[in-house]
mmCIF file of all heavy atoms in Angstrom:
data_model
loop_
_atom_site.group_PDB
_atom_site.id
_atom_site.type_symbol
_atom_site.label_atom_id
_atom_site.label_comp_id
_atom_site.label_asym_id
_atom_site.label_seq_id
_atom_site.Cartn_x
_atom_site.Cartn_y
_atom_site.Cartn_z
ATOM 1 N N LEU A 1 7.230 10.785 -3.081
ATOM 2 C CA LEU A 1 8.685 10.690 -3.227
ATOM 3 C C LEU A 1 9.312 9.867 -2.125
ATOM 4 O O LEU A 1 10.214 9.063 -2.364
ATOM 5 C CB LEU A 1 9.306 12.078 -3.274
ATOM 6 C CG LEU A 1 9.139 12.889 -4.542
ATOM 7 C CD1 LEU A 1 9.718 14.290 -4.365
ATOM 8 C CD2 LEU A 1 9.777 12.182 -5.722
ATOM 9 N N LEU A 2 8.883 10.073 -0.890
ATOM 10 C CA LEU A 2 9.500 9.404 0.247
ATOM 11 C C LEU A 2 8.759 8.149 0.697
ATOM 12 O O LEU A 2 9.245 7.409 1.546
ATOM 13 C CB LEU A 2 9.606 10.370 1.433
ATOM 14 C CG LEU A 2 10.475 11.605 1.197
ATOM 15 C CD1 LEU A 2 10.432 12.528 2.394
ATOM 16 C CD2 LEU A 2 11.897 11.204 0.860
ATOM 17 N N ALA A 3 7.578 7.909 0.135
ATOM 18 C CA ALA A 3 6.769 6.762 0.565
ATOM 19 C C ALA A 3 7.288 5.467 -0.049
ATOM 20 O O ALA A 3 7.702 5.419 -1.205
ATOM 21 C CB ALA A 3 5.321 6.960 0.151
ATOM 22 N N ASP A 4 7.267 4.416 0.751
ATOM 23 C CA ASP A 4 7.575 3.077 0.254
ATOM 24 C C ASP A 4 6.290 2.289 0.012
ATOM 25 O O ASP A 4 6.222 1.479 -0.900
ATOM 26 C CB ASP A 4 8.429 2.315 1.274
ATOM 27 C CG ASP A 4 9.759 3.005 1.553
ATOM 28 O OD1 ASP A 4 10.494 3.254 0.576
ATOM 29 O OD2 ASP A 4 10.034 3.303 2.730
ATOM 30 N N LYS A 5 5.312 2.528 0.887
ATOM 31 C CA LYS A 5 4.056 1.777 0.842
ATOM 32 C C LYS A 5 2.902 2.754 0.950
ATOM 33 O O LYS A 5 2.929 3.684 1.756
ATOM 34 C CB LYS A 5 4.007 0.769 1.987
ATOM 35 C CG LYS A 5 2.830 -0.155 1.970
ATOM 36 C CD LYS A 5 2.978 -1.207 3.085
ATOM 37 C CE LYS A 5 1.917 -2.260 3.036
ATOM 38 N NZ LYS A 5 2.109 -3.257 4.126
ATOM 39 N N VAL A 6 1.862 2.505 0.126
ATOM 40 C CA VAL A 6 0.713 3.424 0.066
ATOM 41 C C VAL A 6 -0.574 2.625 0.289
ATOM 42 O O VAL A 6 -0.826 1.643 -0.407
ATOM 43 C CB VAL A 6 0.660 4.145 -1.305
ATOM 44 C CG1 VAL A 6 -0.568 5.051 -1.385
ATOM 45 C CG2 VAL A 6 1.933 4.932 -1.543
ATOM 46 N N HIS A 7 -1.356 3.088 1.241
ATOM 47 C CA HIS A 7 -2.706 2.542 1.482
ATOM 48 C C HIS A 7 -3.706 3.536 0.905
ATOM 49 O O HIS A 7 -3.589 4.746 1.142
ATOM 50 C CB HIS A 7 -2.992 2.392 2.983
ATOM 51 C CG HIS A 7 -2.205 1.310 3.625
ATOM 52 N ND1 HIS A 7 -2.678 0.035 3.766
ATOM 53 C CD2 HIS A 7 -0.959 1.319 4.197
ATOM 54 C CE1 HIS A 7 -1.790 -0.712 4.393
ATOM 55 N NE2 HIS A 7 -0.724 0.041 4.662
ATOM 56 N N VAL A 8 -4.677 3.027 0.166
ATOM 57 C CA VAL A 8 -5.679 3.911 -0.454
ATOM 58 C C VAL A 8 -6.963 3.116 -0.649
ATOM 59 O O VAL A 8 -6.950 1.878 -0.740
ATOM 60 C CB VAL A 8 -5.143 4.487 -1.785
ATOM 61 C CG1 VAL A 8 -4.975 3.433 -2.845
ATOM 62 C CG2 VAL A 8 -6.002 5.631 -2.280
ATOM 63 N N GLY A 9 -8.071 3.834 -0.730
ATOM 64 C CA GLY A 9 -9.368 3.202 -0.928
ATOM 65 C C GLY A 9 -9.648 2.929 -2.396
ATOM 66 O O GLY A 9 -8.834 3.187 -3.282
ATOM 67 N N CYS A 10 -10.856 2.411 -2.640
ATOM 68 C CA CYS A 10 -11.245 1.958 -3.967
ATOM 69 C C CYS A 10 -12.157 2.940 -4.710
ATOM 70 O O CYS A 10 -12.665 2.612 -5.780
ATOM 71 C CB CYS A 10 -11.951 0.601 -3.842
ATOM 72 S SG CYS A 10 -13.425 0.658 -2.790
ATOM 73 N N ALA A 11 -12.355 4.127 -4.174
ATOM 74 C CA ALA A 11 -13.291 5.084 -4.768
ATOM 75 C C ALA A 11 -12.663 5.855 -5.935
ATOM 76 O O ALA A 11 -11.467 5.764 -6.190
ATOM 77 C CB ALA A 11 -13.782 6.053 -3.686
ATOM 78 N N ARG A 12 -13.512 6.620 -6.590
ATOM 79 C CA ARG A 12 -13.042 7.515 -7.644
ATOM 80 C C ARG A 12 -12.476 8.769 -6.984
ATOM 81 O O ARG A 12 -12.400 8.868 -5.771
ATOM 82 C CB ARG A 12 -14.187 7.855 -8.615
ATOM 83 C CG ARG A 12 -15.293 8.664 -8.026
ATOM 84 C CD ARG A 12 -16.455 8.878 -9.012
ATOM 85 N NE ARG A 12 -17.408 9.841 -8.508
ATOM 86 C CZ ARG A 12 -18.375 9.580 -7.657
ATOM 87 N NH1 ARG A 12 -18.519 8.367 -7.187
ATOM 88 N NH2 ARG A 12 -19.181 10.531 -7.251
ATOM 89 N N GLY A 13 -12.033 9.718 -7.770
ATOM 90 C CA GLY A 13 -11.524 10.974 -7.228
ATOM 91 C C GLY A 13 -10.118 10.833 -6.690
ATOM 92 O O GLY A 13 -9.226 10.305 -7.373
ATOM 93 N N VAL A 14 -9.915 11.288 -5.461
ATOM 94 C CA VAL A 14 -8.575 11.280 -4.857
ATOM 95 C C VAL A 14 -8.039 9.845 -4.727
ATOM 96 O O VAL A 14 -6.867 9.609 -5.015
ATOM 97 C CB VAL A 14 -8.572 11.993 -3.491
ATOM 98 C CG1 VAL A 14 -7.263 11.780 -2.751
ATOM 99 C CG2 VAL A 14 -8.850 13.484 -3.667
ATOM 100 N N ASP A 15 -8.899 8.904 -4.345
ATOM 101 C CA ASP A 15 -8.436 7.508 -4.249
ATOM 102 C C ASP A 15 -7.878 7.033 -5.585
ATOM 103 O O ASP A 15 -6.810 6.430 -5.639
ATOM 104 C CB ASP A 15 -9.589 6.585 -3.836
ATOM 105 C CG ASP A 15 -9.972 6.674 -2.367
ATOM 106 O OD1 ASP A 15 -9.464 7.557 -1.657
ATOM 107 O OD2 ASP A 15 -10.813 5.864 -1.951
ATOM 108 N N ALA A 16 -8.618 7.302 -6.664
ATOM 109 C CA ALA A 16 -8.172 6.859 -7.993
ATOM 110 C C ALA A 16 -6.842 7.519 -8.373
ATOM 111 O O ALA A 16 -5.942 6.854 -8.920
ATOM 112 C CB ALA A 16 -9.232 7.176 -9.051
ATOM 113 N N LEU A 17 -6.676 8.801 -8.062
ATOM 114 C CA LEU A 17 -5.412 9.467 -8.355
ATOM 115 C C LEU A 17 -4.287 8.861 -7.523
ATOM 116 O O LEU A 17 -3.171 8.662 -8.026
ATOM 117 C CB LEU A 17 -5.524 10.963 -8.062
ATOM 118 C CG LEU A 17 -6.401 11.768 -9.010
ATOM 119 C CD1 LEU A 17 -6.559 13.202 -8.495
ATOM 120 C CD2 LEU A 17 -5.843 11.763 -10.414
ATOM 121 N N GLY A 18 -4.570 8.551 -6.262
ATOM 122 C CA GLY A 18 -3.561 7.918 -5.414
ATOM 123 C C GLY A 18 -3.120 6.577 -5.957
ATOM 124 O O GLY A 18 -1.929 6.263 -5.988
ATOM 125 N N ARG A 19 -4.101 5.763 -6.394
ATOM 126 C CA ARG A 19 -3.752 4.452 -6.953
ATOM 127 C C ARG A 19 -2.920 4.617 -8.214
ATOM 128 O O ARG A 19 -1.907 3.932 -8.400
ATOM 129 C CB ARG A 19 -5.042 3.653 -7.279
ATOM 130 C CG ARG A 19 -5.819 3.233 -6.041
ATOM 131 C CD ARG A 19 -6.939 2.269 -6.371
ATOM 132 N NE ARG A 19 -7.845 2.718 -7.413
ATOM 133 C CZ ARG A 19 -8.970 3.425 -7.212
ATOM 134 N NH1 ARG A 19 -9.304 3.805 -5.990
ATOM 135 N NH2 ARG A 19 -9.745 3.750 -8.242
ATOM 136 N N GLU A 20 -3.344 5.524 -9.093
ATOM 137 C CA GLU A 20 -2.626 5.754 -10.351
ATOM 138 C C GLU A 20 -1.182 6.179 -10.117
ATOM 139 O O GLU A 20 -0.256 5.611 -10.681
ATOM 140 C CB GLU A 20 -3.371 6.808 -11.172
ATOM 141 C CG GLU A 20 -2.661 7.279 -12.409
ATOM 142 C CD GLU A 20 -3.254 8.571 -12.976
ATOM 143 O OE1 GLU A 20 -4.479 8.765 -12.891
ATOM 144 O OE2 GLU A 20 -2.474 9.381 -13.500
ATOM 145 N N LEU A 21 -1.007 7.192 -9.271
ATOM 146 C CA LEU A 21 0.331 7.750 -9.064
ATOM 147 C C LEU A 21 1.235 6.800 -8.271
ATOM 148 O O LEU A 21 2.427 6.709 -8.542
ATOM 149 C CB LEU A 21 0.232 9.112 -8.387
ATOM 150 C CG LEU A 21 -0.397 10.208 -9.261
ATOM 151 C CD1 LEU A 21 -0.666 11.454 -8.444
ATOM 152 C CD2 LEU A 21 0.500 10.520 -10.455
ATOM 153 N N ALA A 22 0.667 6.098 -7.290
ATOM 154 C CA ALA A 22 1.481 5.132 -6.539
ATOM 155 C C ALA A 22 1.959 4.023 -7.459
ATOM 156 O O ALA A 22 3.140 3.634 -7.422
ATOM 157 C CB ALA A 22 0.688 4.549 -5.376
ATOM 158 N N ALA A 23 1.071 3.500 -8.285
ATOM 159 C CA ALA A 23 1.445 2.416 -9.219
ATOM 160 C C ALA A 23 2.474 2.895 -10.220
ATOM 161 O O ALA A 23 3.469 2.208 -10.491
ATOM 162 C CB ALA A 23 0.209 1.880 -9.914
ATOM 163 N N SER A 24 2.275 4.093 -10.780
ATOM 164 C CA SER A 24 3.199 4.583 -11.803
ATOM 165 C C SER A 24 4.576 4.941 -11.220
ATOM 166 O O SER A 24 5.543 5.022 -11.956
ATOM 167 C CB SER A 24 2.608 5.775 -12.548
ATOM 168 O OG SER A 24 2.496 6.901 -11.701
ATOM 169 N N ASN A 25 4.630 5.135 -9.896
ATOM 170 C CA ASN A 25 5.904 5.421 -9.231
ATOM 171 C C ASN A 25 6.503 4.191 -8.573
ATOM 172 O O ASN A 25 7.463 4.300 -7.808
ATOM 173 C CB ASN A 25 5.728 6.548 -8.227
ATOM 174 C CG ASN A 25 5.636 7.908 -8.892
ATOM 175 O OD1 ASN A 25 6.636 8.442 -9.335
ATOM 176 N ND2 ASN A 25 4.428 8.430 -9.000
ATOM 177 N N GLY A 26 5.949 3.018 -8.855
ATOM 178 C CA GLY A 26 6.509 1.773 -8.357
ATOM 179 C C GLY A 26 6.395 1.562 -6.852
ATOM 180 O O GLY A 26 7.194 0.832 -6.263
ATOM 181 N N LYS A 27 5.421 2.174 -6.216
ATOM 182 C CA LYS A 27 5.249 2.022 -4.764
ATOM 183 C C LYS A 27 4.471 0.740 -4.468
ATOM 184 O O LYS A 27 3.635 0.298 -5.261
ATOM 185 C CB LYS A 27 4.497 3.223 -4.181
ATOM 186 C CG LYS A 27 5.144 4.575 -4.477
ATOM 187 C CD LYS A 27 6.567 4.632 -3.961
ATOM 188 C CE LYS A 27 7.212 5.955 -4.312
ATOM 189 N NZ LYS A 27 8.577 6.060 -3.803
ATOM 190 N N LEU A 28 4.740 0.156 -3.316
ATOM 191 C CA LEU A 28 3.948 -0.968 -2.838
ATOM 192 C C LEU A 28 2.561 -0.415 -2.532
ATOM 193 O O LEU A 28 2.419 0.484 -1.715
ATOM 194 C CB LEU A 28 4.598 -1.575 -1.606
ATOM 195 C CG LEU A 28 3.875 -2.747 -0.942
ATOM 196 C CD1 LEU A 28 3.676 -3.886 -1.952
ATOM 197 C CD2 LEU A 28 4.677 -3.222 0.260
ATOM 198 N N LEU A 29 1.550 -0.933 -3.199
ATOM 199 C CA LEU A 29 0.207 -0.363 -3.140
ATOM 200 C C LEU A 29 -0.757 -1.355 -2.508
ATOM 201 O O LEU A 29 -0.849 -2.505 -2.937
ATOM 202 C CB LEU A 29 -0.253 0.000 -4.561
ATOM 203 C CG LEU A 29 -1.652 0.558 -4.723
ATOM 204 C CD1 LEU A 29 -1.802 1.888 -3.972
ATOM 205 C CD2 LEU A 29 -1.943 0.781 -6.217
ATOM 206 N N VAL A 30 -1.471 -0.895 -1.485
ATOM 207 C CA VAL A 30 -2.510 -1.693 -0.840
ATOM 208 C C VAL A 30 -3.828 -0.972 -1.067
ATOM 209 O O VAL A 30 -4.011 0.152 -0.580
ATOM 210 C CB VAL A 30 -2.257 -1.863 0.672
ATOM 211 C CG1 VAL A 30 -3.365 -2.684 1.307
ATOM 212 C CG2 VAL A 30 -0.894 -2.498 0.910
ATOM 213 N N VAL A 31 -4.734 -1.589 -1.832
ATOM 214 C CA VAL A 31 -6.031 -0.995 -2.110
ATOM 215 C C VAL A 31 -7.054 -1.619 -1.170
ATOM 216 O O VAL A 31 -7.206 -2.843 -1.138
ATOM 217 C CB VAL A 31 -6.438 -1.201 -3.574
ATOM 218 C CG1 VAL A 31 -7.824 -0.602 -3.836
ATOM 219 C CG2 VAL A 31 -5.411 -0.602 -4.529
ATOM 220 N N HIS A 32 -7.718 -0.782 -0.421
ATOM 221 C CA HIS A 32 -8.732 -1.233 0.525
ATOM 222 C C HIS A 32 -10.095 -1.155 -0.152
ATOM 223 O O HIS A 32 -10.556 -0.076 -0.529
ATOM 224 C CB HIS A 32 -8.697 -0.382 1.798
ATOM 225 C CG HIS A 32 -7.411 -0.547 2.544
ATOM 226 N ND1 HIS A 32 -7.239 -1.470 3.555
ATOM 227 C CD2 HIS A 32 -6.200 0.078 2.376
ATOM 228 C CE1 HIS A 32 -5.990 -1.388 3.999
ATOM 229 N NE2 HIS A 32 -5.343 -0.476 3.303
ATOM 230 N N GLU A 33 -10.705 -2.317 -0.304
ATOM 231 C CA GLU A 33 -11.979 -2.429 -1.006
ATOM 232 C C GLU A 33 -13.138 -2.289 -0.036
ATOM 233 O O GLU A 33 -13.015 -2.571 1.155
ATOM 234 C CB GLU A 33 -12.073 -3.795 -1.700
ATOM 235 C CG GLU A 33 -10.954 -4.074 -2.699
ATOM 236 C CD GLU A 33 -11.100 -3.340 -4.017
ATOM 237 O OE1 GLU A 33 -12.228 -2.841 -4.316
ATOM 238 O OE2 GLU A 33 -10.112 -3.255 -4.758
ATOM 239 N N THR A 34 -14.284 -1.876 -0.579
ATOM 240 C CA THR A 34 -15.509 -1.810 0.203
ATOM 241 C C THR A 34 -16.441 -2.929 -0.235
ATOM 242 O O THR A 34 -16.337 -3.422 -1.360
ATOM 243 C CB THR A 34 -16.198 -0.431 0.048
ATOM 244 O OG1 THR A 34 -17.344 -0.386 0.880
ATOM 245 C CG2 THR A 34 -16.616 -0.168 -1.385
#
């Protein structure tokens, strides 16, 4: 709710949920790849 920018990894599980929810909420998303 309060985040403007979200950093998250490229894995499944929590990372995948973070990417999904950040994108669907219009947040600036930075995905860190391995």
